Amino acid sequence: MVRLDKKKFDDFIRELSEEYSVYAPGKAGGKTEFIQINPGDEIELTRPVTDMSPKSIFFPPAEVLFEYDEDGVRTPQTSHRPIAVFGMRSCDARSLVMLDRVFGSAIQMPEDANFQDPYWKEKYDTSLIFGFACNEPLSTCFCNWLEGGPHNKDGMDVFVVNAGDFYLMEPVSDKGIDIINRLSCLTDAAEEDEVLAAKLASDAKSMMAAPLDSGGLGEKLTALYDEPIWGEISAKCVNCGACTFSCPTCHCFDVQDEGKGKKGKRVRIWDSCMFPIFTMEASGHNPRALSSERVRQRVMHKYSYYPENYGEILCTGCGRCVMVCPVNLDIREVLKRIISYNESGKSNE
């Protein structure tokens, strides 16, 4: 473990910038999100989670896949500079591991061939993630329900703890060991620093509400597929899609061609399974025409279908969906209701 004096933070960013395009939480348009920074720029680390998740760094809201004209098809020129991210919370670092299963090595049918998205892999495989421990989780955080925690290190290359006047950094991966050994602005941590980091982890864990026993959730969801509970849960949902766009693991997208004359481009843009038109077929038929069907799909995908494919729930408990929902549809209450739903069609709560 090493120390970074906060007075040397600009030196730290300057050294990283020599090799990487550096991203950190900042303010943009009145909201907090991960933005590209330079030495001396102000960053926002006071909020445990940014308004927008860091998935946009690797999976942009709109991304040109290729351009075409009379001379042929071309992929856009990119900087090819690797990406370093500072200040990514445990829930968000873990979300990138989940997205990497989808874009980096997705299981495809038939024959379980693995699809690799070149646009994702170009950015994520060479990235460097400086995770950031949550010393004071919010009341909306529930990472401890889902095998996470405020000081969890999954998906990080370097684990960072805010320790007052300095940061403590612990390399987690080989890439993390390499960069820590090369940065000149760091000093060795003392034994009492490691004791402090352990205390901060223990204090943060004690601030979290008791986790939900989610054992058997997947089986319960399968059993409830045709039950009326989905109409009851979705009754107040307005299908605005705010939960999906703020979610660090949601990854629905659409592909559109934008062209005029003999040239144009193909663009991948974020979409949402909450929108009625998302599943609209060319015939006019919509297999998820009802709000209850769309809400069921979102819950089933995260807590049943994805775990069946990859052995892990597609949710990190960041709580953004709880914070942004305009009608206070709390996913934690949804899960409690599903787990307690009994054979008579009523909740045990």
Side-chain angles (χ1 to χ4, degrees), residues 53-129:
S53 81
K55 71 180 177 184
S56 59
I57 300 173
F58 305 97
F59 172 45
E63 185 170 27
V64 177
L65 302 180
F66 60 79
E67 300 168 328
Y68 60 89
D69 56 24
E70 291 180 294
D71 296 326
V73 177
R74 300 175 300 280
T75 53
Q77 295 295 317
T78 59
S79 67
H80 296 294
R81 291 199 83 205
I83 292 170
V85 187
F86 183 84
M88 189 179 292
R89 305 291 176 158
S90 298
C91 50
D92 287 337
R94 193 165 169 232
S95 74
L96 295 180
V97 177
M98 297 176 180
L99 289 179
D100 188 51
R101 297 194 186 103
V102 177
F103 292 110
S105 57
I107 298 174
Q108 301 289 301
M109 299 295 285
E111 300 179 354
D112 289 346
N114 292 107
F115 173 74
Q116 298 184 338
D117 183 304
Y119 305 94
W120 167 273
K121 290 187 69 64
E122 180 184 35
K123 295 185 278 283
Y124 183 69
D125 286 0
T126 58
S127 68
L128 189 64
I129 306 297

Side-chain angles (χ1 to χ4, degrees), residues 11 92 143 148 168 213 226 242 301 311 336:
D11 295 335
D92 287 337
C143 56
L168 292 170
D213 181 4
D226 291 318
H301 184 211
K336 289 178 183 177

Side-chain angles (χ1 to χ4, degrees), residues 143-262:
C143 56
N144 60 333
W145 289 24
L146 303 158
E147 301 182 2
H151 280 235
N152 188 291
K153 303 169 188 173
D154 292 350
M156 300 179 185
D157 295 304
V158 179
F159 177 61
V160 182
V161 179
N162 185 354
D165 294 334
F166 57 92
Y167 296 119
L168 292 170
M169 298 188 178
E170 176 189 350
V172 179
S173 69
D174 290 341
K175 286 191 291 185
I177 293 171
D178 176 65
I179 193 67
I180 289 296
N181 287 336
R182 290 191 287 122
L183 290 171
S184 64
C185 53
L186 306 176
T187 58
D188 290 337
E191 184 175 343
E192 55 264 33
D193 292 334
E194 299 191 22
V195 173
L196 174 59
K199 183 179 186 306
L200 290 171
S202 177
D203 290 347
K205 186 177 180 180
S206 69
M207 297 177 194
M208 303 287 293
L212 175 74
D213 181 4
S214 58
L217 177 59
E219 293 79 3
K220 194 67 178 282
L221 283 168
T222 300
L224 295 181
Y225 188 86
D226 291 318
E227 293 292 320
I229 185 174
W230 300 108
E232 300 162 11
I233 290 174
S234 64
K236 64 180 181 179
C237 178
V238 295
N239 296 134
C240 66
C243 53
T244 59
F245 288 133
S246 62
C247 175
T249 65
C250 278
H251 52 271
C252 290
F253 63 84
D254 190 12
V255 174
Q256 295 185 357
D257 287 337
E258 299 176 359
K260 184 177 182 181
K262 296 181 179 180

Side-chain angles (χ1 to χ4, degrees), residues 265-324:
K265 57 188 176 182
R266 178 161 295 179
V267 186
R268 176 165 64 186
I269 58 176
W270 286 3
D271 207 338
S272 172
C273 60
M274 290 292 94
F275 297 159
I277 200 172
F278 181 69
T279 49
M280 180 72 78
E281 299 172 0
S283 66
H285 170 66
N286 191 339
R288 296 186 206 131
L290 301 177
S291 175
S292 59
E293 294 166 334
R294 296 191 287 275
V295 171
R296 178 180 64 187
Q297 166 63 23
R298 184 165 190 267
V299 174
M300 294 290 288
H301 184 211
K302 287 187 171 297
Y303 302 97
S304 179
Y305 304 150
Y306 185 94
E308 286 177 6
N309 284 332
Y310 300 107
E312 186 176 28
I313 288 173
L314 186 64
C315 173
T316 63
C318 71
R320 286 188 179 87
C321 61
V322 179
M323 290 187 282
V324 302

Side-chain angles (χ1 to χ4, degrees), residues 22-54:
V22 182
Y23 289 75
K27 291 183 179 178
K31 298 290 185 180
T32 55
E33 61 179 300
F34 283 79
I35 58 175
Q36 189 168 351
I37 64 165
N38 296 300
D41 288 350
E42 185 176 348
I43 64 173
E44 172 58 73
L45 291 172
T46 58
R47 298 184 59 180
V49 292
T50 49
D51 291 310
M52 297 302 292
S53 81

